[in-house]
Amino acid sequence: MSETILIIGSEGQVGTDLQYRLREIYGKNNVISSDIRPADPAKLDRGPYEQLDVLDHSRIAELFSKHKPTVIYHLAAMLSATAEQHPKKGWELNMDGTFSIFDACLEHGVKRIFWPSSIAVFGPTTPRVNTPQHCVMDPGTIYGISKLAGERYCEYYFKRYGLDVRSVRYPGLIGWKALPGGGTTDYAVDIFHQALKTKAYTSFLKADAMLPMMYMDDAIKATINITEAPAEQVKLRSSYNIAGCSFDPQTIASAIAKRIDGFTIDYAPDHRQKIAESWPQSIDDTVAREDWGWNPDFDLDKMVDEMLMRLSATASQ
Ligand code: AKB
């Protein structure tokens, strides 16, 4: 099946891995990367790249007319911790950016769009253990509020205009190709880099701040699988719970210490601890498993092995 895929926000943590995988599947020139950053001359051989600010309507129209994408992955967003520092900007980027891209999809006849939600849609009165697909959702961060509003918007556009939107609620994502930026779960990536560099890490979350997490390969698998699933299998047009593995800083630290002699962790919780305390500890993803066959491949040990192996190999290149 020939597709022209446009990734919006391609240079972020998910976009970096996603563009790589989609180019393996669809070929380098059928996947157009775009991000607010100027083109990086060192990366030009990866495939087509366009500079795009999602708040710039005329540039969006220009790129949709030029490339005629059939599938969109709209990843551009401000994450939880940064959005708490800049609530208005966070709301504008997360909401207005989504409005513009959804409208462009309708105007230009795009077949399908993936839009990411997050565990941040849940809040302090949500059940925290095995959080169900449907339950109380009272997010307390501007990021979570924008994601919950976005989910409702996805379902509205599907029902009212027939826009074929697919979405999952990402947990904290852990990958080696790119660093996350501005999230509450970022410690779980940083800890690997510091473990390899200095054998020590200071966590900005408390030792027992348990959160749902996922290895990037699983997140990319979920993202592509739901986007490519037959439409009738995607019964929820808001967003699906997906789960990888849940852990807290002390548990991941001891998994790393088993593999790196002398690794130590200490704790200096900051403003992000409060955000973490308002989020689930673990997620029930039964509905995604039943509807479109979701199934993760990585548990904590497999993920720690893979992260240390990949980052060590990159460092020695
Ligand atoms: C964040 O921490 O803000 C993100 C998320 C869970 O959506 N990683």
Side-chain angles (χ1 to χ4, degrees), residues 163-220:
L163 184 64
D164 190 353
V165 193
R166 286 113 191 269
S167 176
V168 295
R169 294 173 178 150
Y170 287 140
L173 300 180
I174 296 146
W176 56 273
K177 285 200 186 84
L179 291 171
T184 302
T185 57
D186 293 7
Y187 91 85
V189 178
D190 202 23
I191 194 170
F192 287 101
H193 290 268
Q194 295 309 321
L196 288 167
K197 262 192 229 144
T198 64
K199 292 194 175 196
Y201 184 66
T202 301
S203 170
F204 59 74
L205 297 184
K206 288 184 184 167
D208 63 352
M210 173 86 77
L211 286 168
M213 300 280 188
M214 181 176 284
Y215 188 54
M216 187 58 81
D217 288 24
D218 275 337
I220 297 302

Short mmCIF file of all heavy atoms in Angstrom, two decimals, residues 163-220:
data_model
loop_
_atom_site.label_atom_id
_atom_site.label_comp_id
_atom_site.label_asym_id
_atom_site.label_seq_id
_atom_site.Cartn_x
_atom_site.Cartn_y
_atom_site.Cartn_z
N LEU A 163 -13.38 12.21 10.61
CA LEU A 163 -11.91 12.17 10.58
C LEU A 163 -11.44 10.90 11.30
O LEU A 163 -11.81 10.66 12.46
CB LEU A 163 -11.33 13.43 11.26
CG LEU A 163 -9.80 13.54 11.20
CD1 LEU A 163 -9.29 13.68 9.77
CD2 LEU A 163 -9.32 14.73 12.04
N ASP A 164 -10.63 10.11 10.62
CA ASP A 164 -10.22 8.81 11.16
C ASP A 164 -9.02 9.01 12.11
O ASP A 164 -7.87 8.81 11.73
CB ASP A 164 -9.88 7.88 9.98
CG ASP A 164 -9.67 6.45 10.44
OD1 ASP A 164 -9.67 6.21 11.67
OD2 ASP A 164 -9.51 5.57 9.57
N VAL A 165 -9.34 9.39 13.34
CA VAL A 165 -8.29 9.69 14.33
C VAL A 165 -8.04 8.46 15.18
O VAL A 165 -8.98 7.79 15.62
CB VAL A 165 -8.73 10.80 15.32
CG1 VAL A 165 -7.54 11.30 16.12
CG2 VAL A 165 -9.40 11.93 14.62
N ARG A 166 -6.77 8.19 15.43
CA ARG A 166 -6.39 7.09 16.33
C ARG A 166 -5.47 7.64 17.42
O ARG A 166 -4.61 8.49 17.12
CB ARG A 166 -5.66 5.99 15.57
CG ARG A 166 -6.63 5.15 14.71
CD ARG A 166 -6.38 5.36 13.25
NE ARG A 166 -7.42 4.79 12.38
CZ ARG A 166 -7.39 3.55 11.90
NH1 ARG A 166 -6.40 2.75 12.18
NH2 ARG A 166 -8.35 3.13 11.11
N SER A 167 -5.60 7.11 18.64
CA SER A 167 -4.81 7.69 19.73
C SER A 167 -4.56 6.68 20.84
O SER A 167 -5.39 5.81 21.11
CB SER A 167 -5.57 8.89 20.29
OG SER A 167 -4.88 9.43 21.40
N VAL A 168 -3.38 6.79 21.46
CA VAL A 168 -3.08 6.04 22.69
C VAL A 168 -2.63 7.02 23.76
O VAL A 168 -2.12 8.10 23.45
CB VAL A 168 -1.98 4.95 22.48
CG1 VAL A 168 -2.46 3.87 21.53
CG2 VAL A 168 -0.66 5.56 22.01
N ARG A 169 -2.80 6.58 25.02
CA ARG A 169 -2.32 7.38 26.16
C ARG A 169 -0.93 6.90 26.51
O ARG A 169 -0.77 5.84 27.14
CB ARG A 169 -3.26 7.19 27.35
CG ARG A 169 -4.65 7.74 27.10
CD ARG A 169 -5.61 7.40 28.23
NE ARG A 169 -6.92 7.99 27.96
CZ ARG A 169 -8.08 7.49 28.36
NH1 ARG A 169 -8.11 6.35 29.08
NH2 ARG A 169 -9.20 8.09 28.09
N TYR A 170 0.11 7.66 26.08
CA TYR A 170 1.48 7.24 26.39
C TYR A 170 1.75 7.32 27.89
O TYR A 170 1.42 8.32 28.53
CB TYR A 170 2.49 8.17 25.71
CG TYR A 170 2.65 8.03 24.21
CD1 TYR A 170 2.81 9.17 23.43
CD2 TYR A 170 2.72 6.79 23.58
CE1 TYR A 170 2.99 9.08 22.05
CE2 TYR A 170 2.90 6.70 22.20
CZ TYR A 170 3.04 7.85 21.44
OH TYR A 170 3.23 7.77 20.09
N PRO A 171 2.41 6.28 28.42
CA PRO A 171 3.00 6.42 29.75
C PRO A 171 4.35 7.14 29.60
O PRO A 171 4.64 7.67 28.52
CB PRO A 171 3.19 4.96 30.19
CG PRO A 171 3.01 4.11 28.98
CD PRO A 171 2.59 4.97 27.83
N GLY A 172 5.20 7.17 30.62
CA GLY A 172 6.56 7.71 30.47
C GLY A 172 7.31 6.84 29.47
O GLY A 172 7.24 5.61 29.54
N LEU A 173 8.02 7.47 28.55
CA LEU A 173 8.68 6.70 27.48
C LEU A 173 10.19 6.73 27.65
O LEU A 173 10.78 7.78 27.90
CB LEU A 173 8.28 7.26 26.11
CG LEU A 173 6.77 7.22 25.82
CD1 LEU A 173 6.48 7.78 24.43
CD2 LEU A 173 6.22 5.80 25.95
N ILE A 174 10.79 5.55 27.43
CA ILE A 174 12.23 5.40 27.67
C ILE A 174 12.90 4.89 26.41
O ILE A 174 12.62 3.77 25.97
CB ILE A 174 12.45 4.41 28.83
CG1 ILE A 174 11.85 5.03 30.09
CG2 ILE A 174 13.93 4.11 29.05
CD1 ILE A 174 11.27 4.04 31.01
N GLY A 175 13.75 5.73 25.83
CA GLY A 175 14.45 5.31 24.61
C GLY A 175 15.86 5.85 24.61
O GLY A 175 16.19 6.74 25.40
N TRP A 176 16.69 5.34 23.71
CA TRP A 176 18.10 5.75 23.70
C TRP A 176 18.43 6.69 22.54
O TRP A 176 19.47 7.34 22.54
CB TRP A 176 19.01 4.51 23.65
CG TRP A 176 18.72 3.61 22.48
CD1 TRP A 176 17.79 2.61 22.44
CD2 TRP A 176 19.33 3.63 21.19
NE1 TRP A 176 17.78 2.02 21.21
CE2 TRP A 176 18.73 2.62 20.42
CE3 TRP A 176 20.34 4.41 20.60
CZ2 TRP A 176 19.09 2.37 19.09
CZ3 TRP A 176 20.71 4.16 19.29
CH2 TRP A 176 20.08 3.15 18.55
N LYS A 177 17.55 6.77 21.54
CA LYS A 177 17.91 7.58 20.36
C LYS A 177 17.79 9.07 20.65
O LYS A 177 18.53 9.87 20.09
CB LYS A 177 17.00 7.24 19.18
CG LYS A 177 17.31 5.91 18.52
CD LYS A 177 16.73 5.86 17.10
CE LYS A 177 16.89 4.50 16.48
NZ LYS A 177 15.83 3.57 16.83
N ALA A 178 16.80 9.47 21.48
CA ALA A 178 16.60 10.90 21.72
C ALA A 178 16.25 11.12 23.19
O ALA A 178 15.67 10.25 23.84
CB ALA A 178 15.46 11.43 20.85
N LEU A 179 16.59 12.30 23.66
CA LEU A 179 16.24 12.66 25.04
C LEU A 179 14.82 13.20 25.07
O LEU A 179 14.40 13.87 24.13
CB LEU A 179 17.19 13.72 25.56
CG LEU A 179 18.63 13.28 25.78
CD1 LEU A 179 19.51 14.49 26.07
CD2 LEU A 179 18.71 12.28 26.92
N PRO A 180 14.09 12.94 26.16
CA PRO A 180 12.79 13.59 26.29
C PRO A 180 13.01 15.04 26.67
O PRO A 180 14.13 15.43 27.01
CB PRO A 180 12.14 12.82 27.44
CG PRO A 180 13.27 12.29 28.24
CD PRO A 180 14.44 12.13 27.32
N GLY A 181 11.98 15.84 26.66
CA GLY A 181 12.18 17.25 27.04
C GLY A 181 10.98 17.76 27.79
O GLY A 181 9.89 17.85 27.25
N GLY A 182 11.15 18.09 29.07
CA GLY A 182 10.12 18.79 29.81
C GLY A 182 9.04 17.92 30.41
O GLY A 182 7.99 18.42 30.78
N GLY A 183 9.29 16.62 30.56
CA GLY A 183 8.28 15.74 31.15
C GLY A 183 8.57 15.41 32.60
O GLY A 183 9.68 15.66 33.10
N THR A 184 7.58 14.83 33.27
CA THR A 184 7.71 14.41 34.67
C THR A 184 8.41 13.05 34.76
O THR A 184 9.00 12.70 35.77
CB THR A 184 6.30 14.35 35.30
OG1 THR A 184 5.73 15.64 35.16
CG2 THR A 184 6.33 13.95 36.76
N THR A 185 8.33 12.29 33.66
CA THR A 185 8.91 10.95 33.66
C THR A 185 10.34 10.93 33.08
O THR A 185 10.93 9.86 32.96
CB THR A 185 8.02 9.99 32.83
OG1 THR A 185 7.89 10.53 31.50
CG2 THR A 185 6.64 9.85 33.44
N ASP A 186 10.88 12.12 32.77
CA ASP A 186 12.19 12.19 32.09
C ASP A 186 13.33 11.55 32.88
O ASP A 186 14.35 11.15 32.31
CB ASP A 186 12.59 13.66 31.82
CG ASP A 186 11.69 14.34 30.82
OD1 ASP A 186 10.68 13.75 30.41
OD2 ASP A 186 12.01 15.49 30.44
N TYR A 187 13.18 11.48 34.21
CA TYR A 187 14.26 10.93 35.03
C TYR A 187 14.64 9.52 34.56
O TYR A 187 15.80 9.11 34.64
CB TYR A 187 13.87 10.92 36.52
CG TYR A 187 13.20 9.64 36.96
CD1 TYR A 187 13.95 8.53 37.35
CD2 TYR A 187 11.80 9.50 36.91
CE1 TYR A 187 13.34 7.34 37.70
CE2 TYR A 187 11.19 8.32 37.25
CZ TYR A 187 11.96 7.24 37.65
OH TYR A 187 11.35 6.05 37.97
N ALA A 188 13.62 8.80 34.06
CA ALA A 188 13.83 7.39 33.73
C ALA A 188 14.68 7.21 32.47
O ALA A 188 15.10 6.09 32.15
CB ALA A 188 12.49 6.68 33.59
N VAL A 189 14.93 8.30 31.74
CA VAL A 189 15.89 8.25 30.63
C VAL A 189 17.24 8.78 31.12
O VAL A 189 18.29 8.16 30.93
CB VAL A 189 15.41 9.10 29.43
CG1 VAL A 189 16.45 9.08 28.30
CG2 VAL A 189 14.06 8.58 28.93
N ASP A 190 17.18 9.92 31.81
CA ASP A 190 18.39 10.58 32.29
C ASP A 190 19.22 9.65 33.18
O ASP A 190 20.45 9.66 33.15
CB ASP A 190 17.93 11.82 33.09
CG ASP A 190 19.04 12.84 33.17
OD1 ASP A 190 19.93 12.81 32.29
OD2 ASP A 190 19.02 13.65 34.12
N ILE A 191 18.55 8.82 33.97
CA ILE A 191 19.26 7.94 34.91
C ILE A 191 20.25 7.02 34.18
O ILE A 191 21.35 6.76 34.67
CB ILE A 191 18.23 7.13 35.77
CG1 ILE A 191 18.92 6.49 36.97
CG2 ILE A 191 17.49 6.11 34.95
CD1 ILE A 191 17.92 5.88 37.98
N PHE A 192 19.89 6.59 32.97
CA PHE A 192 20.79 5.71 32.21
C PHE A 192 22.04 6.48 31.75
O PHE A 192 23.15 5.97 31.81
CB PHE A 192 20.06 5.13 30.99
CG PHE A 192 19.06 4.08 31.35
CD1 PHE A 192 17.71 4.37 31.41
CD2 PHE A 192 19.47 2.79 31.64
CE1 PHE A 192 16.78 3.40 31.74
CE2 PHE A 192 18.55 1.80 31.99
CZ PHE A 192 17.19 2.12 32.04
N HIS A 193 21.81 7.70 31.25
CA HIS A 193 22.94 8.50 30.76
C HIS A 193 23.91 8.78 31.91
O HIS A 193 25.12 8.64 31.76
CB HIS A 193 22.43 9.82 30.16
CG HIS A 193 21.69 9.60 28.85
ND1 HIS A 193 22.33 9.66 27.63
CD2 HIS A 193 20.40 9.30 28.59
CE1 HIS A 193 21.43 9.42 26.67
NE2 HIS A 193 20.25 9.20 27.24
N GLN A 194 23.36 9.17 33.08
CA GLN A 194 24.23 9.51 34.22
C GLN A 194 24.89 8.26 34.78
O GLN A 194 26.04 8.31 35.22
CB GLN A 194 23.42 10.21 35.32
CG GLN A 194 22.87 11.57 34.93
CD GLN A 194 23.93 12.48 34.33
OE1 GLN A 194 25.07 12.51 34.78
NE2 GLN A 194 23.56 13.19 33.28
N ALA A 195 24.18 7.14 34.76
CA ALA A 195 24.76 5.89 35.28
C ALA A 195 26.00 5.53 34.47
O ALA A 195 27.03 5.14 35.03
CB ALA A 195 23.74 4.76 35.19
N LEU A 196 25.93 5.70 33.15
CA LEU A 196 27.07 5.35 32.31
C LEU A 196 28.19 6.38 32.42
O LEU A 196 29.37 6.05 32.34
CB LEU A 196 26.63 5.19 30.85
CG LEU A 196 25.81 3.92 30.59
CD1 LEU A 196 25.12 3.95 29.23
CD2 LEU A 196 26.69 2.67 30.69
N LYS A 197 27.79 7.65 32.61
CA LYS A 197 28.81 8.72 32.67
C LYS A 197 29.49 8.80 34.03
O LYS A 197 30.70 8.90 34.12
CB LYS A 197 28.13 10.07 32.40
CG LYS A 197 28.28 10.55 30.96
CD LYS A 197 27.85 12.01 30.84
CE LYS A 197 26.91 12.14 29.67
NZ LYS A 197 25.84 13.09 29.82
N THR A 198 28.67 8.79 35.12
CA THR A 198 29.24 9.13 36.44
C THR A 198 28.94 8.09 37.52
O THR A 198 29.36 8.26 38.66
CB THR A 198 28.66 10.48 36.94
OG1 THR A 198 27.25 10.29 37.15
CG2 THR A 198 28.86 11.61 35.95
N LYS A 199 28.18 7.06 37.16
CA LYS A 199 27.79 6.02 38.14
C LYS A 199 26.99 6.58 39.30
O LYS A 199 26.99 6.02 40.41
CB LYS A 199 29.01 5.27 38.69
CG LYS A 199 29.71 4.41 37.67
CD LYS A 199 30.65 3.48 38.38
CE LYS A 199 31.28 2.51 37.41
NZ LYS A 199 31.88 1.39 38.06
N ALA A 200 26.35 7.73 39.09
CA ALA A 200 25.54 8.32 40.17
C ALA A 200 24.40 9.11 39.55
O ALA A 200 24.52 9.65 38.45
CB ALA A 200 26.40 9.24 41.02
N TYR A 201 23.27 9.16 40.28
CA TYR A 201 22.13 9.92 39.77
C TYR A 201 21.35 10.53 40.93
O TYR A 201 21.15 9.89 41.96
CB TYR A 201 21.19 9.01 38.96
CG TYR A 201 20.06 9.79 38.34
CD1 TYR A 201 20.33 10.74 37.35
CD2 TYR A 201 18.75 9.64 38.76
CE1 TYR A 201 19.29 11.51 36.79
CE2 TYR A 201 17.72 10.40 38.20
CZ TYR A 201 18.01 11.33 37.22
OH TYR A 201 17.00 12.09 36.68
N THR A 202 20.95 11.80 40.75
CA THR A 202 20.08 12.45 41.73
C THR A 202 18.69 12.53 41.10
O THR A 202 18.51 13.19 40.08
CB THR A 202 20.61 13.85 42.08
OG1 THR A 202 21.93 13.70 42.61
CG2 THR A 202 19.72 14.52 43.13
N SER A 203 17.73 11.86 41.73
CA SER A 203 16.38 11.79 41.16
C SER A 203 15.54 12.98 41.62
O SER A 203 15.54 13.31 42.81
CB SER A 203 15.71 10.49 41.62
OG SER A 203 14.34 10.51 41.29
N PHE A 204 14.79 13.57 40.66
CA PHE A 204 13.89 14.67 41.03
C PHE A 204 12.53 14.15 41.50
O PHE A 204 11.65 14.93 41.84
CB PHE A 204 13.77 15.70 39.91
CG PHE A 204 13.24 15.16 38.59
CD1 PHE A 204 11.90 14.85 38.43
CD2 PHE A 204 14.11 15.00 37.51
CE1 PHE A 204 11.42 14.36 37.22
CE2 PHE A 204 13.64 14.51 36.30
CZ PHE A 204 12.29 14.20 36.15
N LEU A 205 12.36 12.83 41.49
CA LEU A 205 11.17 12.22 42.09
C LEU A 205 11.61 11.40 43.30
O LEU A 205 12.75 10.95 43.38
CB LEU A 205 10.47 11.29 41.09
CG LEU A 205 9.90 11.94 39.82
CD1 LEU A 205 9.16 10.89 38.99
CD2 LEU A 205 8.96 13.11 40.14
N LYS A 206 10.67 11.20 44.23
CA LYS A 206 10.98 10.40 45.42
C LYS A 206 11.25 8.95 45.06
O LYS A 206 10.78 8.47 44.01
CB LYS A 206 9.81 10.47 46.41
CG LYS A 206 9.67 11.81 47.09
CD LYS A 206 8.53 11.71 48.12
CE LYS A 206 8.28 13.06 48.76
NZ LYS A 206 7.00 13.08 49.50
N ALA A 207 11.91 8.24 45.99
CA ALA A 207 12.29 6.84 45.76
C ALA A 207 11.10 5.96 45.38
O ALA A 207 11.21 5.04 44.57
CB ALA A 207 12.95 6.29 47.03
N ASP A 208 9.93 6.26 45.95
CA ASP A 208 8.78 5.37 45.74
C ASP A 208 7.73 5.98 44.79
O ASP A 208 6.56 5.59 44.84
CB ASP A 208 8.14 5.02 47.08
CG ASP A 208 7.59 6.26 47.78
OD1 ASP A 208 7.85 7.39 47.30
OD2 ASP A 208 6.92 6.11 48.82
N ALA A 209 8.16 6.91 43.95
CA ALA A 209 7.20 7.54 43.00
C ALA A 209 6.97 6.58 41.83
O ALA A 209 7.62 6.67 40.77
CB ALA A 209 7.74 8.88 42.52
N MET A 210 6.03 5.69 42.03
CA MET A 210 5.73 4.65 41.03
C MET A 210 4.90 5.24 39.89
O MET A 210 3.88 5.89 40.15
CB MET A 210 4.93 3.55 41.74
CG MET A 210 4.40 2.46 40.85
SD MET A 210 5.60 1.20 40.60
CE MET A 210 5.49 0.34 42.15
N LEU A 211 5.36 5.01 38.65
CA LEU A 211 4.62 5.54 37.49
C LEU A 211 4.60 4.49 36.37
O LEU A 211 5.51 3.67 36.26
CB LEU A 211 5.32 6.80 36.96
CG LEU A 211 5.16 8.08 37.78
CD1 LEU A 211 6.14 9.15 37.29
CD2 LEU A 211 3.73 8.59 37.74
N PRO A 212 3.59 4.56 35.51
CA PRO A 212 3.57 3.69 34.33
C PRO A 212 4.63 4.14 33.32
O PRO A 212 4.73 5.34 33.04
CB PRO A 212 2.16 3.90 33.75
CG PRO A 212 1.41 4.71 34.73
CD PRO A 212 2.41 5.44 35.57
N MET A 213 5.40 3.20 32.80
CA MET A 213 6.49 3.51 31.87
C MET A 213 6.45 2.53 30.70
O MET A 213 5.81 1.47 30.79
CB MET A 213 7.85 3.37 32.56
CG MET A 213 8.03 4.27 33.75
SD MET A 213 8.45 5.95 33.21
CE MET A 213 8.83 6.69 34.81
N MET A 214 7.19 2.85 29.65
CA MET A 214 7.20 1.95 28.48
C MET A 214 8.50 2.16 27.69
O MET A 214 8.94 3.30 27.51
CB MET A 214 6.00 2.27 27.59
CG MET A 214 5.89 1.40 26.37
SD MET A 214 4.38 1.77 25.45
CE MET A 214 3.17 0.97 26.46
N TYR A 215 9.07 1.06 27.22
CA TYR A 215 10.25 1.17 26.35
C TYR A 215 9.81 1.69 24.98
O TYR A 215 8.72 1.36 24.49
CB TYR A 215 10.94 -0.20 26.21
CG TYR A 215 12.26 -0.09 25.49
CD1 TYR A 215 13.23 0.80 25.93
CD2 TYR A 215 12.53 -0.85 24.37
CE1 TYR A 215 14.45 0.93 25.26
CE2 TYR A 215 13.75 -0.74 23.69
CZ TYR A 215 14.69 0.16 24.15
OH TYR A 215 15.88 0.29 23.47
N MET A 216 10.66 2.52 24.39
CA MET A 216 10.28 3.22 23.15
C MET A 216 9.86 2.26 22.03
O MET A 216 8.94 2.56 21.27
CB MET A 216 11.44 4.10 22.69
CG MET A 216 11.11 4.99 21.52
SD MET A 216 9.71 6.09 21.83
CE MET A 216 10.50 7.40 22.73
N ASP A 217 10.53 1.12 21.91
CA ASP A 217 10.16 0.19 20.82
C ASP A 217 8.70 -0.24 20.95
O ASP A 217 7.99 -0.40 19.95
CB ASP A 217 11.04 -1.07 20.84
CG ASP A 217 12.46 -0.77 20.38
OD1 ASP A 217 12.87 0.40 20.48
OD2 ASP A 217 13.16 -1.70 19.94
N ASP A 218 8.25 -0.44 22.20
CA ASP A 218 6.84 -0.77 22.42
C ASP A 218 5.94 0.40 22.06
O ASP A 218 4.87 0.22 21.47
CB ASP A 218 6.60 -1.18 23.88
CG ASP A 218 6.90 -2.66 24.13
OD1 ASP A 218 6.86 -3.45 23.16
OD2 ASP A 218 7.17 -3.02 25.29
N ALA A 219 6.36 1.60 22.42
CA ALA A 219 5.54 2.79 22.12
C ALA A 219 5.40 2.97 20.60
O ALA A 219 4.32 3.29 20.09
CB ALA A 219 6.16 4.04 22.74
N ILE A 220 6.49 2.73 19.88
CA ILE A 220 6.45 2.88 18.42
C ILE A 220 5.56 1.78 17.82
O ILE A 220 4.77 2.02 16.90
CB ILE A 220 7.89 2.82 17.83
CG1 ILE A 220 8.74 3.99 18.37
CG2 ILE A 220 7.88 2.79 16.30
CD1 ILE A 220 8.20 5.37 18.09
#
